[in-house]
Amino acid sequence: EVQLVESGGGLIQWGGSLRLSCAASGFTVSSNYMSWVRQAPGKGPEWVSVIYSGGSTNYADSVRGRFTISRDNSENTLYLQMGRLRAEDTAVYYCARSRGPLYNDAFDIWGQGTMVTVSS
Amino acid sequence: QSVLTQPPSVSGAPGQRVTISCTGSSSNIGAGYDVHWYQQLPGTAPKLFIYGNNNRPSGVPDRFSGSKSGTSASLAITGLQAEDEADYYCQSYDSSLSVVFGGGTKLTVL
């Protein structure tokens, strides 16, 4: 079964760091474009970051310089290292797979999400 | 403030047809980038319902259809059913090199 399972969320203090994990099954993370998408309570989704199959990365302006996306091919797992966390980073964080190798392709597989709450 | 604009809510009676609009600009939808649509039920992750403007993934009823014109796109649902009640989001890509989403539309089946 094709599946993504996130973990690592929790309550963290303002300015702190946290690492999210996303374990994939049924497909190979390194062969796909993989993204992190977050959704603040009551808001629409917000794209956070992508790692392309070739290994290059891109970030939303709101997190560039604070967050780092990476993957472990041997573990078939995607990561998001988050630092200098702010209240506005509070959200459910989803990992998602792009349908195909296009920058603007749809996300066809989503994880169940992991909640990150930044307290002041 | 989302880059793509959607109406906060739409409603319709069972069996009726409703449409949800998604308005962008010349740097995203108007630049030719595809529009995708997701359905989100409470407490769950978004689920892909339309990709590439007007294509349905396997398992999505043919009551759902998408269209795109200029700087806007629309999701149409015919033969409205109670199970269609959910939040719907559009997604595209922007020339600023980022994926963009709409703010979402809550569909209520009366």
Side-chain angles (χ1 to χ4, degrees):
Chain A
E1 182 189 5
V2 174
Q3 187 174 268
L4 293 167
V5 178
E6 300 98 336
S7 59
L11 179 64
I12 186 75
Q13 280 199 323
W14 182 92
S17 299
L18 202 61
R19 189 179 82 157
L20 306 181
S21 300
C22 170
S25 56
F27 72 97
T28 303
V29 164
S30 62
S31 298
N32 290 269
Y33 288 9
M34 298 295 299
S35 286
W36 286 96
V37 177
R38 68 185 180 184
Q39 188 170 26
K43 304 292 186 182
E46 178 192 14
W47 172 79
V48 172
S49 180
V50 62
I51 183 165
Y52 301 112
S53 50
S56 58
T57 60
N58 193 21
Y59 299 89
D61 289 343
S62 58
V63 307
R64 184 173 287 114
R66 300 188 299 122
F67 290 11
T68 302
I69 190 171
S70 63
R71 67 191 184 205
D72 184 324
N73 297 344
S74 65
E75 295 290 328
N76 207 29
T77 298
L78 180 73
Y79 298 101
L80 185 68
Q81 179 68 48
M82 306 186 294
R84 288 185 281 149
L85 284 162
R86 310 164 178 168
E88 54 265 36
D89 295 319
T90 293
V92 175
Y93 283 72
Y94 298 99
C95 58
R97 184 186 79 172
S98 290
R99 279 189 66 251
L102 297 175
Y103 295 132
N104 63 327
D105 218 324
F107 300 119
D108 64 345
I109 304 296
W110 295 65
Q112 86 286 356
T114 187
M115 183 71 203
V116 173
T117 304
V118 182
S119 68
S120 53
Chain B
Q1 194 82 358
S2 300
V3 174
L4 304 179
T5 301
Q6 298 179 235
S9 63
V10 298
S11 62
Q16 283 190 331
R17 179 181 186 271
V18 297
T19 62
I20 298 173
S21 62
C22 174
T23 303
S25 69
S26 58
S27 67
N28 41 69
I29 298 176
Y33 294 113
D34 285 344
V35 177
H36 319 297
W37 292 90
Y38 301 87
Q39 179 195 68
Q40 187 175 34
L41 299 172
T44 69
K47 176 184 176 182
L48 180 62
F49 254 56
I50 295 288
Y51 66 92
N53 305 315
N54 56 11
N55 300 287
R56 283 175 288 104
S58 173
V60 172
D62 59 7
R63 301 184 294 103
F64 290 82
S65 63
S67 63
K68 182 186 123 174
S69 178
T71 59
S72 296
S74 289
L75 174 70
I77 310 170
T78 59
L80 204 57
Q81 299 181 6
E83 67 201 49
D84 300 333
E85 188 162 290
D87 293 326
Y88 292 85
Y89 296 94
C90 59
Q91 177 222 320
S92 187
Y93 188 80
D94 194 271
S95 300
S96 61
L97 304 182
S98 66
V99 171
V100 290
F101 285 93
T105 298
K106 181 175 181 58
L107 169 62
T108 300
V109 181
L110 302 171

